[in-house]
Amino acid sequence: MEKLLQNKVCIITGAAQGIGKAIVERFAEDGAIVYAFDRQLGAMDEWTKLISEKFETKIVPMYCDITDGLIVKDALRSIYKQEGHIDVLVNNAGVVFNRRIGMIMREETELMFRVNVIAMLELIQLVSRFMARIKGGAIVNIASVTGVLGSPGQVAYSATKGAVITLTKSAAKELAMQGIRVNAVAPGVVKTERFLELYETAGEKIDERIKKIALGRLGEPRDVANACAFLASDRAAYISGQVLSVDGCASI
Ligand SMILES: NC(=O)c1ccc[n+]([C@@H]2O[C@H](COP(=O)([O-])OP(=O)(O)OC[C@H]3O[C@@H](n4cnc5c(N)ncnc54)[C@H](O)[C@@H]3O)[C@@H](O)[C@H]2O)c1
């Protein structure tokens, strides 16, 4: 049976851990050739090898700080030269500082906008040039339920994720002419190491949070990865400019 992403060349940012790692695994299972970008290169060596052997596909971990335009440009050029096409980009890398309005520092806000929004926009700018050459491609941006609903204690972070959502819609309209689809996935609370740690330090009880989720559990990284695989695949050929919430029915 044909796999969902068979032979598609896919770039995933923020791939070293959490949701990004789950996306790499799911894409490899679906037959994709995966380029895994992160600032933590060493953290990807072992498990990418294991997954690549398990699913008999190619996974290439690459050092890439997405805020460094020159590194990003070089990385994309070398992938295009090697593969001859770039089919999918998943913009997953993100940083978060959970602070109330009175406490948020300018440096934290600037860093979040630089990574979560500006670097994402520049990646779309660069990758869409390569995708345009083959008149097609799919881009999936990781937003957040906080960008849809807003969230106390996450004023600046939620603003970056709101920006991701509008950026997604505008890019989808602009790039449609070149056959490129752009969608966003908006996760709720996902059980990654980072988020569990943040919850504990913020003193919020996970049990209380779960009570607000209709499906009665936190999200797993794999839940988000499944949505990304669908939106990246040709099964979603007529879907663009959409925001798919993956939050256990917490945002309606
Ligand atoms: N975990 C959640 O509950 C949740 C909920 C909603 C949205 N999200 C979003 O999902 C995405 C992944 O979240 P996560 O919980 O897996 O986070 P995480 O912190 O566990 O992983 C983020 C990864 O991004 C990488 N990264 C950060 N800055 C980078 C840069 N400049 N260049 C390259 N890589 C960089 C980190 O090294 C890390 O590997 C983020 O965009 C986050 O905002 C997460």
Side-chain angles (χ1 to χ4, degrees):
M1 202 176 75
E2 180 81 351
K3 290 180 176 174
L4 206 56
L5 299 170
Q6 190 75 51
N7 297 327
K8 285 196 189 286
V9 175
C10 303
I11 297 169
I12 297 159
T13 70
Q17 62 183 49
I19 293 171
K21 182 176 173 183
I23 300 172
V24 173
E25 182 160 9
R26 172 66 216 249
F27 276 38
E29 195 177 334
D30 280 321
I33 295 160
V34 181
Y35 284 83
F37 285 9
D38 208 289
R39 288 178 311 187
Q40 308 179 62
L41 186 58
M44 294 191 282
D45 280 351
E46 237 168 75
W47 63 262
T48 49
K49 229 175 264 161
L50 290 175
I51 292 174
S52 133
E53 281 163 17
K54 183 171 168 195
F55 297 116
E56 295 176 343
T57 190
K58 179 164 140 189
I59 305 177
V60 184
M62 284 180 95
Y63 173 84
C64 184
D65 179 338
I66 59 162
T67 62
D68 187 329
L70 287 178
I71 291 183
V72 173
K73 234 183 235 174
D74 278 354
L76 295 182
R77 268 203 210 110
S78 77
I79 295 169
Y80 188 78
K81 202 168 156 207
Q82 173 74 27
E83 305 290 347
H85 53 110
I86 297 176
D87 304 294
V88 173
L89 166 68
V90 182
N91 276 311
N92 165 75
V95 288
V96 59
F97 296 97
N98 289 336
R99 305 260 192 271
R100 292 195 164 267
I101 292 169
M103 300 303 287
I104 187 80
M105 312 280 282
R106 175 185 277 239
E107 298 73 37
E108 295 167 338
T109 303
E110 284 179 351
L111 180 61
M112 284 190 284
F113 272 93
R114 220 167 31 247
V115 178
N116 301 0
V117 183
I118 299 170
M120 178 185 285
L121 177 55
E122 288 177 353
L123 257 157
I124 292 174
Q125 201 173 36
L126 292 168
V127 99
S128 63
R129 289 181 194 147
F130 291 105
M131 289 176 171
R133 294 183 194 178
I134 54 164
K135 277 248 152 241
I139 297 172
V140 181
N141 299 324
I142 304 300
S144 165
V145 67
T146 63
V148 180
L149 297 179
S151 165
Q154 293 191 304
V155 63
Y157 174 71
S158 65
T160 68
K161 293 301 186 178
V164 168
I165 289 170
T166 43
L167 183 163
T168 298
K169 293 180 183 178
S170 299
K173 288 179 178 171
E174 268 194 40
L175 296 173
M177 285 289 288
Q178 286 143 52
I180 302 168
R181 299 182 297 102
V182 190
N183 289 289
V185 169
V189 185
V190 182
K191 246 187 335 185
T192 62
E193 307 85 328
R194 177 186 71 158
F195 266 71
L196 289 175
E197 202 179 289
L198 279 171
Y199 260 80
E200 272 154 28
T201 48
E204 192 174 337
K205 293 231 163 51
I206 303 258
D207 292 352
E208 290 304 309
R209 186 65 197 226
I210 293 174
K211 281 186 198 151
K212 296 178 193 155
I213 303 171
L215 285 179
R217 66 167 174 89
L218 297 178
E220 296 288 342
R222 178 93 179 164
D223 295 318
V224 181
N226 288 338
C228 293
F230 166 66
L231 289 172
S233 77
D234 294 340
R235 303 241 173 109
Y238 200 52
I239 301 176
S240 195
Q242 302 304 306
V243 182
L244 179 55
S245 291
V246 179
D247 61 7
C249 195
S251 59
I252 57 166

